[in-house]
Amino acid sequence: MDINFNYVHVTASERLEELVTKKLEKLENRYDWIVRGEVFFKTENTSSPETGMICEIKLSAPGQNVFASSNEKSFEMAISNTADDIKRQLQKKKEKMSTR
């Protein structure tokens, strides 16, 4: 799977890329029909210290693409929450595919 990383108002980080790559590789091993992934890291000026670090993941797969986003106080938490959401969506998609 090809993974493209995009940074909006954020300095590129190999550590974040490795973290996302590990999570997406686990998903790819389970769902071999994933074609490509796009990951966006963004920062947002907020009045709350609990938010501001945004991670968005879009996966290209047969049929409709899978997308999730999370806004947390750290990129690590945002990556984790977004990956969990993607995992749930992929599970639902797999169940729909197997019932057809």
Side-chain angles (χ1 to χ4, degrees), residues 42-44 46 48-55 69-82:
K42 302 176 182 180
T43 57
E44 177 180 76
T46 64
S48 169
E50 299 297 312
T51 61
M53 306 295 176
I54 302 169
C55 174
S69 177
S70 184
N71 188 347
E72 300 293 337
K73 65 180 174 182
S74 72
F75 280 120
E76 292 80 4
M77 287 176 62
I79 290 167
S80 181
N81 289 347
T82 305

Side-chain angles (χ1 to χ4, degrees), residues 1-5 24 28 34-38 58-59:
M1 167 177 43
D2 290 333
I3 304 173
N4 294 329
F5 292 94
L24 292 183
E28 185 187 23
I34 298 173
V35 179
R36 191 177 84 236
E38 277 197 80
K58 182 174 99 176
L59 297 181

